[in-house]
Amino acid sequence: MNNTTPLPLVIVSHQLPEAWLAKLHGRCRIITGPPTTVEAGLSADLRTLLPQADGLFSLLTVRVDEALLAQAPRLRVVSNMAVGVDNIDLAACSRHGIPVGHTPGVLTDGTADLTLALLLAVARQLPTAAADAQAGKWTTWLPTGWLGADLQGATLGIVGLGKIGQAVARRAQGFGLRLLYSGPHEKAEAADLGATYVPLETLLCESDFVSLHAPLTTETRHLINAQTLRLMRPSAILINMARGPLVDTAALVDALQNGVIAAAGLDVTDPEPLPPSHPLYSLPNCLVVPHIGSATQHTRRRMAELACENLLAGLEGRPLPHQAN
Ligand code: DGY
């Protein structure tokens, strides 16, 4: 039999290693965009193909909104290679009957590992100590040099006890941290983790370290602002592994410059990327890394594979393994 039905057309917003997309081979026609370093959003070339696209595989730098959907009348699925979906207008996708896939679970451990790495790096002043050693300031063993904060016995406040927050809590138990958490409601898993549910204000007042793991929504935007920063201890360290806009950046700069809090470790920023001239980089008490929470070989490949599985399910009219809307 001569089957002339063409394979569905899928736009993959950016170049990715071929092996990561292997699941798509033979199941759809793929048109791939440029590397993210060339253009973070959807390129003009790919936009011209939207009218024919059946599926869209997006990175978190691609804004999927009503304007994009209006150009893509055939679109049957959007698959985001990220757990966060704040780059996507979920309500608009739902209005168009388009399921949106995302990648929870596979990045939980990688992101939780980096949370502890950032916390330890900031608490023990690793960037300053390393730079000082390299600059010849390691003249002798200094009894009072590069003194940091202990984790054992300190209190960690986790804002958002979802999958990643829980994985952070499990790691934190091993470091002897006392755990508080806040969020929209209590979590059954908290009891096993020894984490106590408290209002955000209490968490901020009582924590030595505050770690953000909530999604970006209208409720969480600028959750950490001039007012809430003032509730934190002058010795406190803020870690943001969630999304940059959870924190009011100007207020954070002011808080770090004026001793309102002691230090911050940021995997995500607002804006993102943070321009090299930004004041946060020049603060010795702030460590910024470029959104690398999930950046391990294994994790990023699994994210891409899961995004492929979501995409194929949407193209074939099956329920997505992980649907966000
Ligand atoms: C996500 O998946 O949302 C992370 O921010 C990137 O790994």
Side-chain angles (χ1 to χ4, degrees):
M1 199 176 79
N2 182 17
N3 185 354
T4 52
T5 313
L7 290 172
L9 180 72
V10 167
I11 290 178
V12 176
S13 69
H14 294 89
Q15 277 173 27
L16 292 171
E18 220 181 298
W20 294 9
L21 301 177
K23 284 173 191 278
L24 300 183
H25 295 159
R27 312 273 293 271
C28 51
R29 287 172 293 145
I30 303 171
I31 311 267
T32 306
T36 36
T37 45
V38 172
E39 180 156 15
L42 198 65
S43 72
D45 282 356
L46 288 186
R47 280 183 186 276
T48 63
L49 295 170
L50 283 171
Q52 295 120 61
D54 298 290
L56 173 63
F57 181 118
S58 54
L59 300 190
L60 56 78
T61 51
V62 174
R63 177 95 199 115
V64 179
D65 54 14
E66 189 61 61
L68 181 147
L69 297 174
Q71 293 175 61
R74 294 173 55 96
L75 206 59
R76 278 179 280 152
V77 58
V78 172
S79 183
N80 210 35
M81 189 186 137
V83 64
V85 283
D86 47 284
N87 57 312
I88 297 178
D89 184 340
L90 292 181
C93 287
S94 298
R95 276 198 302 278
H96 287 259
I98 298 173
V100 176
H102 68 146
T103 63
V106 292
L107 47 75
T108 300
D109 288 320
T111 307
D113 286 350
L114 195 84
T115 306
L116 269 297
L118 259 188
L119 176 53
L120 284 164
V122 176
R124 298 298 297 271
Q125 303 194 57
L126 294 193
T128 308
D132 285 353
Q134 208 172 0
K137 295 183 189 166
W138 183 13
T139 49
T140 178
W141 181 77
L142 290 172
T144 56
W146 305 292
L147 300 184
D150 286 308
L151 269 60
Q152 172 68 44
T155 298
L156 171 65
I158 298 176
V159 178
L161 198 70
K163 282 191 172 66
I164 296 171
Q166 289 171 33
V168 169
R170 278 193 295 279
R171 285 156 176 76
Q173 282 180 318
F175 283 94
L177 284 151
R178 170 183 168 243
L179 297 177
L180 303 177
Y181 76 101
S182 68
H185 48 76
E186 284 192 51
K187 293 283 184 128
E189 298 87 346
D192 281 349
L193 296 166
T196 306
Y197 185 62
V198 290
L200 177 68
E201 292 70 22
T202 309
L203 180 146
L204 295 175
C205 293
E206 292 191 10
S207 296
D208 299 291
F209 312 121
V210 172
S211 195
L212 306 180
H213 300 282
L216 174 62
T217 61
T218 30
E219 289 76 38
T220 61
R221 182 175 294 273
H222 287 193
L223 196 70
I224 302 299
N225 53 45
Q227 213 180 340
T228 49
L229 280 161
R230 275 197 297 276
L231 296 175
M232 293 174 67
R233 300 175 171 189
S235 56
I237 292 174
L238 175 70
I239 303 294
N240 189 3
M241 294 294 300
R243 284 292 183 264
L246 261 66
V247 178
D248 176 342
T249 303
L252 178 62
V253 170
D254 186 66
L256 291 169
Q257 281 171 338
N258 294 301
V260 175
I261 66 168
L266 309 174
D267 181 45
V268 289
T269 58
D270 181 22
E272 200 169 293
L274 200 65
S277 59
H278 198 279
L280 280 175
Y281 288 120
S282 54
L283 294 172
N285 53 349
C286 186
L287 173 59
V288 180
V289 294
H291 203 145
I292 55 168
S294 62
T296 73
Q297 296 279 357
H298 174 74
T299 299
R300 286 281 165 85
R301 183 177 176 142
R302 282 298 297 129
M303 288 167 69
E305 288 172 347
L306 195 47
C308 290
E309 288 162 26
N310 284 329
L311 186 87
L312 290 172
L315 290 176
E316 291 163 12
R318 292 182 281 112
L320 273 49
H322 295 285
Q323 187 169 332
N325 60 342

